[in-house]
Amino acid sequence: MMITNLSPLFPALPRRVFANRTRHPYCLRSREIASLLRKAFLNIRMHLLVSNLSVGEELHYRKKPKKRLSFLTYNPMLRGSFDSYPLPQGLLVLVFLGTMIRAMFLSGALALGLLQTLVHTLPFVHASTANRRNHDPILPFLDYAGIAAAAAEAVQNDPTIARRSSPSPPSRTCRNIKKRKEWRQLTKTQKKDYMRAIKCLQTKSDYGISPISNTLFDAFTQVHQSNWTDFHLNAYFLPWHRWFVWLHAEAMTNECGYSGPTPYWNYTMDYKDPFASPIFSTDETGFGSHGQERVNVSGLAGFKVDNGAFANFKVNLPVPHYLTRDFSAWKRLDPTGAWGTAFGEAFSPQQVATALGANKFSDFEGVIDGFNAPIHIGLHNGPHFFNWGDWTGPEWLGGTPWYPYGNTAPNDPLFWNHHAYVDYIFWTWQQRPGKQWLFNGNADWTNVTDDSALRTDLLPFHGMGPDVPVALALKTERWPLCYTY
């Protein structure tokens, strides 16, 4: 199967580059070359620390850590300290750019290839921290001391250190194990209360987590987009999002009084026609469709959600706008329908079976994230990509000042039900004999063959509670997660 139109997913390159690819696949106009060069020069300027900074922003010139690589360039939404490579390496990039410009006049194909490489693989500046209003935010519904103790136990009990097949029993135990339920299993009252609690988060303080907004709802989006390549397309994706969804559930319960089960959406049940799922119903118990009114706010284009529980729902990142979706976008990305309706074949029962049949964690993660599929269409990304709006993530921001650093997916309340299902598949795989504590894979998102990730590595949450080791997120029935499926 092949997706024939990739240009919407690569907004950094002009669409005309792809338009005539069958006849002249690397034919560039001078304006297009100039646009790419501007992007390359911008990244080099940032690399050489000579770009203009706003008041209160600073760059620290020090070596980038060996691990935790990211491609993020300077981002005014992440006002904070930055790491960069040594200056001489940046000068080498300038030499490379000069060579590339000379080559441009010899071969259009070579020029585009080099430009693409330069734009996408430069040693970009890395936002090491998100500068928060409160540099040490404390969320009152989290037991920081308890989490620290549990984290220490998880690290000390790691099989690679303690030489045991599984960790010893923790000192803290769960008072009760909450059971998550599929959306269709919730009562009408529970669904309405869940919607109420989601909206309630927009009225609660973020305790100083975000520099952009002061609501707890927006804080989750801010955390998710802070250095987002540190926990996407790598081994940390599943444990990071497991903890993140749990944090959101705790906020819903403790800040907004939600007492029902945390719902997940088993979209595999709907893979033949995802949009026929009752989760998209347009009444007060549904998340709604994509609406009728086209909107475009600072390049953020799609349809305003005007029905369901989140009709006319406003979100604030990267700028204030109505919750936006476009459920027809998948047709532009897959015009032949090779992946079924709305990429449904990417999250079919067969795909779930393939994932559950993986022997190694890295192989399991590879199926979840579609490492071997075009544009990473897999069990996780399928629902992100059949929509073109907040839920899509960074690709939706292409062509705007926030690309590629922004990642607005949690703006759409469906994000949580979507990722709870991804976690359900992860949990199901872990129930297989010998799988509970398995963890390996790539720490560097740019190299899927890397195998340096460890259970003792910390997952970063940028003020949304403490950073925790992977090992603490590997078993949901242990404290503090205390849930099951």
Side-chain angles (χ1 to χ4, degrees), residues 252-275:
M252 294 266 286
T253 297
N254 293 282
E255 292 282 317
C256 291
Y258 176 67
S259 59
T262 297
Y264 63 93
W265 172 37
N266 183 343
Y267 44 87
T268 298
M269 295 174 63
D270 305 306
Y271 84 102
K272 288 292 186 182
D273 185 4
F275 303 128

Side-chain angles (χ1 to χ4, degrees), residues 159-333:
T160 59
I161 298 174
R163 298 187 178 183
R164 53 172 67 99
S165 60
S166 63
S168 59
S171 58
R172 292 188 179 227
T173 58
C174 301
R175 293 181 179 178
N176 66 297
I177 304 292
K178 298 179 181 179
K179 187 171 183 177
R180 294 184 173 180
K181 294 184 178 181
E182 208 278 331
W183 178 252
R184 281 161 268 229
Q185 295 178 315
L186 270 62
T187 66
K188 182 176 181 179
T189 299
Q190 288 174 327
K191 290 177 180 178
K192 290 174 63 176
D193 196 44
Y194 180 81
M195 304 302 197
R196 175 201 61 79
I198 287 277
K199 296 174 183 177
C200 164
L201 291 177
Q202 288 195 325
T203 70
K204 300 297 181 180
S205 169
D206 75 335
Y207 302 100
I209 292 174
S210 171
I212 306 303
S213 171
N214 61 358
T215 76
L216 196 51
F217 182 99
D218 295 326
F220 281 98
T221 300
Q222 174 67 21
V223 168
H224 186 259
Q225 72 179 3
S226 297
N227 299 340
W228 62 267
T229 54
D230 286 348
F231 42 86
H232 286 85
L233 298 175
N234 58 21
Y236 308 119
F237 169 76
L238 289 168
W240 191 94
H241 283 82
R242 167 175 285 178
W243 192 270
F244 192 53
V245 173
W246 172 75
L247 286 171
H248 186 262
E250 290 296 294
M252 294 266 286
T253 297
N254 293 282
E255 292 282 317
C256 291
Y258 176 67
S259 59
T262 297
Y264 63 93
W265 172 37
N266 183 343
Y267 44 87
T268 298
M269 295 174 63
D270 305 306
Y271 84 102
K272 288 292 186 182
D273 185 4
F275 303 128
S277 172
I279 203 167
F280 294 117
S281 67
T282 57
D283 62 15
E284 60 185 353
T285 63
F287 288 80
S289 64
H290 71 184
Q292 301 299 316
E293 180 183 346
R294 279 196 173 274
V295 293
N296 190 321
V297 179
S298 302
L300 307 178
F303 292 87
K304 180 181 76 171
V305 176
D306 60 7
N307 54 71
F310 297 100
N312 305 312
F313 188 65
K314 291 185 177 180
V315 292
N316 295 312
L317 271 67
V319 290
H321 64 280
Y322 287 106
L323 178 62
T324 302
R325 300 179 186 144
D326 182 353
F327 286 170
S328 63
W330 66 275
K331 296 179 181 179
R332 299 193 296 272
L333 302 178

Side-chain angles (χ1 to χ4, degrees), residues 53-88:
L53 302 178
S54 302
V55 176
E57 296 155 359
E58 58 179 348
L59 292 178
H60 293 295
Y61 181 71
R62 57 181 183 269
K63 260 193 176 181
K64 187 180 179 74
K66 291 179 67 177
K67 296 184 70 176
R68 314 295 181 266
L69 299 179
S70 175
F71 73 100
L72 300 182
T73 54
Y74 167 70
N75 176 11
M77 293 170 62
L78 302 177
R79 301 175 185 272
S81 63
F82 292 73
D83 294 333
S84 77
Y85 285 89
L87 186 61

Side-chain angles (χ1 to χ4, degrees), residues 70-107:
S70 175
F71 73 100
L72 300 182
T73 54
Y74 167 70
N75 176 11
M77 293 170 62
L78 302 177
R79 301 175 185 272
S81 63
F82 292 73
D83 294 333
S84 77
Y85 285 89
L87 186 61
Q89 188 172 345
L91 295 177
L92 290 176
V93 173
L94 285 176
V95 174
F96 172 72
L97 180 60
T99 304
M100 181 270 297
I101 294 174
R102 289 197 299 273
M104 181 185 307
F105 297 99
L106 301 178
S107 169

